[in-house]
Amino acid sequence: MPPTSILASPSATRDVLERHGFYTKHRLGQNFLVSDAVITRIVSLAELAPDDVVLEVGPGIGTLTVALLPRATRVVAVEADHKLEPVLAETCAQDSDKLDIVWGDALRQVPGGLPVMPTAFVSNLPYQVAATIILQAFEAVPSLRRAVVMVQAEVADRIAAAPGSKAYGAYTAKLALWGKVTGRFEVGPGNFMPPPHVDSAVVRIDRVETGLDAATIADASRVIDAAFAQRRKTIRNSMSSQGFDKAALDAAFAATGISPTCRAETLAPEDFVRLAEAMREVG
């Protein structure tokens, strides 16, 4: 069978880099994926339809991009390193009419700098911005239905953590207001060139339709941040230290049945929503 990505091997990647006089830049999180088996699993997990518009952050030399282009109607790739322009022009030439490249910082370009709103987010993400950009994408791009992203294994643990676990925190609870993890597989350092010093994982997150309006989600996010601000304190003390009125907190805890002496990591995301709604009612 032909490879899913013609670039997903050490020899092909090395050939492209040498031909363009390119070298990896660790400050940009550039560890090139050289396993076609991993690319194949990413594409399979993404379940792209022909009408999908795909957002890719950090395309690098186009290893994943060339696998996405034949399977989607359009790929919007956000790349920080402008020196990769001639590389991507060469590697993605066959489907260049379906590719839009946005040059710049993804945290600034999503969604304002995108030429079209994506329905899927499929990326081998730069690990420095991975957690932030995933949450930002779900918050700011309502058309986004799912994300299949490679991240540091530790970040994947946080994304998928259950209440009460060590990895569960404010990030987990806020992301759960938008999406649910529906798939995951591990990716070892040997699948990259050069090998990173951390383990990686690919996670799939599907958007969940909670029926919550933007104001309620924003209120719940503020409650979550305050509740986790001082994890060793009770939720009441942590939230009051962040400026929440103690009398209003007591009324909200009574209305929801949430114990003021519990700690934030014991509460499910829907508990924070209930608490935020109660806080709004008591003013």
Side-chain angles (χ1 to χ4, degrees):
M1 293 181 62
T4 304
S5 170
I6 59 172
L7 301 174
S9 71
S11 59
T13 297
R14 193 176 297 111
D15 180 61
V16 169
L17 293 176
E18 290 179 354
R19 192 160 59 251
H20 289 272
F22 203 81
Y23 57 92
T24 58
K25 298 179 180 178
H26 285 285
R27 66 181 176 83
L28 295 178
Q30 289 173 334
N31 299 92
F32 297 97
L33 185 59
V34 291
S35 169
D36 192 59
V38 173
I39 293 287
T40 300
R41 293 189 70 180
I42 291 172
V43 170
S44 176
L45 193 59
E47 295 184 308
L48 295 177
D51 61 345
D52 270 318
V53 175
V54 179
L55 169 66
E56 183 186 10
V57 170
I61 65 171
T63 306
L64 178 58
T65 319
V66 298
L68 299 174
L69 284 167
R71 294 168 171 83
T73 188
R74 200 167 179 184
V75 174
V76 180
V78 183
E79 175 55 58
D81 192 348
H82 213 291
K83 291 182 180 179
L84 283 166
E85 184 172 3
V87 183
L88 288 167
E90 175 194 308
T91 59
C92 300
Q94 183 172 336
D95 291 296
S96 60
D97 59 319
K98 299 170 67 175
L99 176 63
D100 291 295
I101 302 177
V102 177
W103 299 100
D105 182 349
L107 295 176
R108 297 181 179 179
Q109 300 294 346
V110 178
L114 303 182
V116 62
M117 290 297 98
T119 58
F121 180 14
V122 186
S123 298
N124 173 18
L125 289 172
Y127 287 176
Q128 302 97 315
V129 300
T132 304
I133 195 64
I134 293 167
L135 181 58
Q136 181 174 313
F138 275 102
E139 287 177 338
V141 185
S143 59
L144 190 68
R145 297 196 293 260
R146 65 196 172 283
V148 176
V149 288
M150 188 183 303
V151 296
Q152 190 172 335
E154 180 180 302
V155 173
D157 291 342
R158 289 169 56 201
I159 289 172
S165 65
K166 184 178 180 180
Y168 183 76
Y171 179 81
T172 317
K174 288 192 290 186
L175 182 58
L177 300 176
W178 300 99
K180 177 182 179 181
V181 175
T182 58
R184 172 176 177 166
F185 66 89
E186 311 307 305
V187 182
N191 292 286
F192 298 89
M193 189 181 79
H197 300 297
V198 297
D199 291 326
S200 305
V202 173
V203 291
R204 171 167 167 161
I205 307 162
D206 285 12
R207 182 181 290 276
V208 292
E209 298 299 335
T210 60
L212 301 175
D213 58 39
T216 299
I217 292 178
D219 288 345
S221 295
R222 284 191 288 270
V223 166
I224 290 168
D225 284 333
F228 280 97
Q230 300 184 49
R231 289 184 67 121
R232 295 186 178 183
K233 289 189 175 184
T234 66
I235 188 171
R236 181 183 187 274
N237 287 345
S238 183
M239 292 184 67
S240 63
S241 72
Q242 298 301 303
F244 281 80
D245 180 76
K246 291 182 178 180
L249 283 169
D250 289 338
F253 287 130
T256 58
I258 295 172
S259 171
T261 60
C262 74
R263 285 178 169 76
E265 62 264 26
T266 65
L267 298 182
E270 53 267 27
D271 294 323
F272 293 110
V273 173
R274 293 193 298 118
L275 189 56
E277 291 174 334
M279 288 292 296
R280 183 189 297 173
E281 290 180 6
V282 300

